[in-house]
Structures are given as structure tokens and as C-alpha cells.
Amino acid sequence: MKYVVGYRPDERGADAIALAAVIAKTQGAELHLVNVVHGGASKDSGSAVDDLSHRALSLVPAEVKATFTTRNHESFVHGLIEAAKEDNAALIVVGAASNGLFKRFTVGSVANGLLHASPVPVALAPRGYNRKDPLSRLTVMTGMREGWQAVLDVGTSAAARRSVPLRLVSVVEIDQLEQSDFDLDNALSPARQHVKTVLAQAAAKLPKDKVTVTLAHGKNIEEAIDGIGWKSGEIVIVGSSRLAENSKIFLGSTANKILRSLPVPMVVVPRDFQEQGI
């Protein structure tokens, strides 16, 4: 298994390598660090390219296998996608942006481009991500709209291969619910039923003590996300909007709110994604 890592000689590049290495450790995956340059920049001397390669590879832990290439392309985003297709990569990993506060996300142009075009899952590293230990838990955000099954399959498969706990979370934004004759218990009933269904499917594939379920709710997405607690070494898996083209990523409004509220890395899975390896 191989992961393509979008590398630039800045903080975002370091964040991406750190996250890719953490995910790879529990999977035995190989990293392909890809530095995409425009035509004019490709004329750098061999020594400059060697220096860049050494700088990038020095950030990869010794136990993780990695290679480095410089790729000439007009678009950083499409250069990474082409590399992922050629490698048959299971994942593209990038740093989300350089100006997020409190290690939370602001989606930069590269991450945003990938979230609208990638045919494979995309992992986004928050600013300043520097974990060294392997993953401790996978959290799957499972909504009730079309596409949740693909996300559950990816999360369940990934947790099983890594022997890490799987947490299933359904988020309900109370302010978006019908306010007339409002009753919280009744309002949350469909979500509760959904998470029970999802739990039953996941529990059939994983040991019972490895699967938990949480119904997160708050006046808004930010409050709901803050209220459920997060482990160091956790990553979140979400699906694409129903508006996405088949086998492509498109981050819907709810997923976008979740992304901007998360203190941990996020993996976005393309719509109708059939492969289960990440």
C-alpha cells in the first residue's frame, strides 16, 4: 500500500509527512513524497533537488519506508492526483493550511482543490501536527444521508486491519431542527435509530469492545464537536456530499463545519468509494 504526500518545504509539508507517517505505521504503508513544481521551477540544479529530497525524507521516521520525487505540473492539486493514480495510492495526504488557530483547520487552496477533485481519500493534517506514535482510534462521522455506507465500510475495514478502536459518531445540529413544538428527545430519535443500525453493522465485523457509538448534539456543529471529547492520535473519517460526482470528493456543508471544528486530522472519502484500504 502506498500513500502520496503533498510536500512543500514549509510547515504544511512537515504536517503532511507527520500525519502520513502516523497512519502508515499501523498499516505498513509506503510514503511517496511528491513535490509539484511549475515549469520554471523544474530547472533547479541537481544539488538543489537533492537537498530538498534530503530535507523531506529526514522528516520521515526510520521505520516508515519513503521515496521522494519532484513532479512538473501546472497544478499542484492535479500533479498529486496524477501521482496517486500512477501509484494506485490509497490516500493523498496534505497539510490543510498554514494559518489555522489552536491547531484547527482552515482549508487552503491545495486542500480545497483536492476536496473537489480527488478520486481517492484525502487526509488533512491540522496546523502543527507532530505526533510520533501510531493511531489510537478511528472516528467515523456517520450521517443519515446517502453515502454513509461507504464511509462506514472504509472506517470498519481500516480499524480491523489496525486493531484500533472504532467510534461511530452522528452529529445533530439542534438549531437546524424544526423548532415548533420542539422536543429534544423526539428530535433525536431518527439519529438514535440510525446509529443503532450502523453500530450493528460495525459490530458484526469487529470485536464488541472495539466499537462505540456517540450521538453528538449541540446548538451548532462546533458545540456538538467540542462536547464529545478527542484522543491524542485519533483521526476522523467523513464522506462526501451527495452532490459529488461518482467516485469524487465534494465536501458538503455539514462536513465543512465539522472540519473547521476538529482538533484532530480528517480523512474525506469520495462518494461511492469502493476500495476499502486506507
Side-chain angles (χ1 to χ4, degrees):
M1 184 176 290
K2 186 174 288 188
Y3 302 152
V4 164
V5 185
Y7 179 75
R8 285 174 168 172
D10 57 19
E11 292 181 357
R12 274 179 285 184
D15 295 341
I17 291 175
L19 175 58
V22 166
I23 301 174
K25 282 180 180 179
T26 48
Q27 184 60 42
E30 177 183 345
L31 306 185
H32 180 191
L33 313 184
V34 180
N35 177 45
V36 181
V37 297
H38 296 294
S42 65
K43 298 178 181 179
D44 288 342
S45 67
S47 61
V49 173
D50 289 344
D51 288 345
L52 190 63
S53 173
H54 176 75
R55 178 176 174 180
L57 292 171
S58 70
L59 299 174
V60 181
E63 65 269 32
V64 177
K65 186 177 180 181
T67 57
F68 175 93
T69 59
T70 292
R71 191 180 191 92
N72 189 359
H73 202 287
E74 293 181 358
S75 163
F76 193 84
V77 167
H78 290 286
L80 293 180
I81 290 174
E82 285 186 3
K85 289 179 178 178
E86 291 173 7
D87 289 345
N88 195 25
L91 193 65
I92 297 175
V93 188
V94 293
S98 59
N99 58 346
L101 298 177
F102 308 114
K103 293 190 177 180
R104 304 235 173 166
F105 288 95
T106 58
V107 179
S109 59
V110 171
N112 187 63
L114 286 169
L115 291 177
H116 285 78
S118 178
V120 300
V122 174
L124 306 175
R127 180 188 180 193
Y129 189 81
N130 59 4
R131 183 175 173 83
K132 305 298 182 185
D133 297 325
L135 294 177
S136 61
R137 181 170 68 183
L138 298 179
T139 286
V140 170
M141 293 291 184
T142 172
M144 291 182 283
R145 293 177 175 174
E146 181 183 355
W148 65 265
Q149 185 68 58
V151 184
L152 177 64
D153 289 344
V154 169
T156 303
S157 176
R161 287 196 314 275
R162 292 174 167 84
S163 297
V164 297
L166 176 68
R167 178 171 65 160
L168 308 172
V169 174
S170 188
V171 178
V172 179
E173 191 173 11
I174 301 301
D175 281 355
Q176 298 300 313
L177 298 176
E178 179 59 51
Q179 294 299 312
S180 59
D181 299 322
F182 182 76
D183 180 273
L184 180 60
D185 194 56
N186 287 337
L188 294 178
S189 247
R192 287 198 181 102
Q193 186 57 48
H194 176 66
V195 294
K196 286 180 181 178
T197 300
V198 173
L199 176 62
Q201 290 194 27
K205 300 178 182 179
L206 295 169
K208 289 183 179 180
D209 62 348
K210 289 287 189 179
V211 186
T212 58
V213 62
T214 298
L215 181 58
H217 60 85
K219 289 185 291 185
N220 51 49
I221 294 293
E222 292 78 9
E223 183 178 287
I225 293 297
D226 284 341
I228 61 177
W230 300 96
K231 285 187 175 183
S232 176
E234 182 166 15
I235 63 171
V236 169
I237 303 174
V238 302
S240 293
S241 166
R242 64 189 185 283
L243 301 177
E245 298 177 31
N246 287 342
S247 302
K248 292 288 182 67
I249 286 177
F250 183 87
L251 203 63
S253 59
T254 299
N256 210 342
K257 291 177 183 177
I258 291 172
L259 169 63
R260 296 176 188 279
S261 304
L262 283 175
V264 298
M266 179 190 234
V267 175
V268 185
V269 177
R271 179 185 171 192
D272 299 328
F273 187 66
Q274 297 298 316
E275 301 296 328
Q276 296 189 7
I278 64 168

